[in-house]
Amino acid sequence: MVLPWLGSCLHLLLLAATASAMLAAAADVGGCTPGKCGDLTVSIPFGLVSGSEENQCAQLGFQVHCIDHVPYLGYYERDVGLRILDIFVHNGSLLVSDVHKLGDFDLSGDGSRCHVPTANTATKVAHPFSISPLNQNLVFYNCTKPLAPRTARRAGLVDTACRNNTFVRAGGWYNESGGIGGGYDLEGCSAMAVTVLGATTGEVNASDYQQLISGGFLLTWQPPPTADGSGEFSR
Ligand SMILES: *[C@@H]1O[C@H](CO)[C@@H](O)[C@H](O)[C@H]1NC(C)=O
Ligand SMILES: *[C@@H]1O[C@H](CO)[C@@H](O)[C@H](O)[C@H]1NC(C)=O
Ligand SMILES: *[C@@H]1O[C@H](CO)[C@@H](O)[C@H](O)[C@H]1NC(C)=O
Ligand SMILES: *[C@@H]1O[C@H](CO)[C@@H](O)[C@H](O)[C@H]1NC(C)=O
Ligand SMILES: *[C@@H]1O[C@H](CO)[C@@H](O)[C@H](O)[C@H]1NC(C)=O
C-alpha cells in the first residue's frame, strides 16, 4: 500500500522539476523573465526587465518594468508612463493607462500647473502595438477665450478641473487615423484626443473623464506566425 503513494509523490516531484526547468529555459530566452509585478502576472511574450537588460528581451516591445510593484510597458521611454492594468494573452491585447495624462490635472498650489493633455494618445503607441477600435475618444479643448454657453451646450462640453476655458467631450469611437474627425473642431480652441476603453456599449460620459483615463485603453498586438501559418489567437 505504500508503493503507489510513493509513486505519485515521485511523480509530483518530477512534475515540479520539469516545471522549474521549463521556467528556467523561458527565463533564458533573451533575459526576459516571466513573473509577477504587483498583482499582475507577466507571462510570455511579455517579460520583466530591469534597466540594463532592456535590449535582451526576445521580442522587442514586450518588456515590462516593475517600479514599486507597478508594471509599466518598458518599450516606451520611462517618462511616457504607460501603466499596465491587465494583459490578455489569449486574444493578444492589454489594458494600459497613461499615468501622465492624469498627472496633467494637477490642482496643487495655485492651480497653474493644471493643464489639459497636450498630445493625442496615438502618438504614444508604436509597433508592435496598435490601439484597438474597441476604444473611444475623449476630446480635450484648450480655448483662447470663453465659448458662448449655447455653443458649449450644443457640443456637449464639460469643464475640466483646470477650468480656464478648457473643456472635454465624448469624441466617438477611436479611428485608426489616430486623430479626431473634422467634426470635433472648435474655433479658437486646440483639440487633443485621449483614448479610453469605457464601457463597450454606448457613449462615454465626458464628466467621468478622470475615471475613464485611469480605466485605461486597450492595445492589441499581432500574434507571431504559427506553424500552420495562420497566426490566429485562440478565441
Ligand atoms: C480580450 O479578452 C478580454 C477578456 O478576457 C476582453 O476584456 C478584451 O476586450 C479582449 N480584447 C479584444 C481585443 O477583444
Ligand atoms: C489661465 O490661463 C491664463 C492664460 O493661459 C494663465 O495666465 C493663468 O495662469 C491661468 N490660470 C490658472 C488658474 O491656471
Ligand atoms: C492652454 O494653452 C496654453 C498655450 O499653449 C497653455 O499655456 C496653457 O497652460 C493651457 N491651459 C491649460 C489649462 O491646459
Ligand atoms: C477616420 O476619421 C477621418 C477624419 O475624420 C475620416 O475621414 C475617416 O473616414 C475615418 N475613418 C474611419 C474608419 O472611421
Ligand atoms: C454624466 O455624468 C454626470 C455626472 O455624473 C451626470 O450629471 C450626467 O447626467 C451624465 N450624463 C449622461 C448623458 O448620462
Side-chain angles (χ1 to χ4, degrees):
M1 291 315 283
V2 171
L3 273 180
W5 176 84
L6 193 65
S8 69
C9 189
L10 275 175
H11 187 72
L12 271 182
L13 272 175
L14 206 72
L15 265 183
T18 315
S20 61
M22 278 168 69
L23 270 182
D28 279 344
V29 178
C32 221
T33 328
K36 283 208 96 163
C37 178
D39 290 334
L40 183 79
T41 300
V42 176
S43 52
I44 292 170
F46 291 87
L48 294 167
V49 291
S50 59
S52 56
E53 299 173 300
E54 197 129 11
N55 299 315
Q56 292 176 18
C57 250
Q59 272 179 281
L60 208 62
F62 294 95
Q63 296 92 336
V64 175
H65 283 278
C66 194
I67 301 162
D68 296 332
H69 311 289
V70 178
Y72 294 92
L73 200 53
Y75 173 82
Y76 301 92
E77 300 284 316
R78 225 180 101 184
D79 62 357
V80 172
L82 286 183
R83 174 178 183 165
I84 304 177
L85 303 176
D86 215 338
I87 298 179
F88 310 108
V89 172
H90 68 280
N91 62 12
S93 64
L94 72 161
L95 191 62
V96 297
S97 167
D98 190 339
V99 293
H100 286 269
K101 289 237 190 303
L102 278 178
D104 287 350
F105 305 99
D106 180 357
L107 290 171
S108 62
D110 62 356
S112 62
R113 271 197 296 214
C114 194
H115 64 92
V116 294
T118 50
N120 291 331
T121 304
T123 62
K124 296 199 170 185
V125 174
H127 184 80
F129 301 107
S130 322
I131 298 178
S132 163
L134 296 176
N135 295 296
Q136 303 192 47
N137 284 320
L138 286 175
V139 186
F140 285 91
Y141 297 97
N142 181 350
C143 305
T144 49
K145 54 184 192 324
L147 296 174
R150 209 166 129 255
T151 308
R153 216 171 26 246
R154 256 211 318 244
L157 298 183
V158 174
D159 281 310
T160 80
C162 306
R163 305 259 158 200
N164 226 2
N165 302 325
T166 59
F167 308 94
V168 56
R169 72 161 138 173
W173 295 98
Y174 173 78
N175 173 338
E176 66 282 305
S177 73
I180 26 186
Y184 291 98
D185 285 345
L186 278 180
E187 205 188 318
C189 307
S190 65
M192 285 302 155
V194 172
T195 307
V196 296
L197 181 56
T200 43
T201 52
E203 206 175 61
V204 295
N205 185 338
S207 308
D208 304 330
Y209 69 91
Q210 304 220 30
Q211 293 100 295
L212 287 164
I213 294 174
S214 22
F217 59 100
L218 201 62
L219 293 180
T220 58
W221 74 85
Q222 286 305 305
T226 51
D228 65 5
S230 65
E232 283 287 312
F233 287 111
S234 58
R235 296 276 156 203

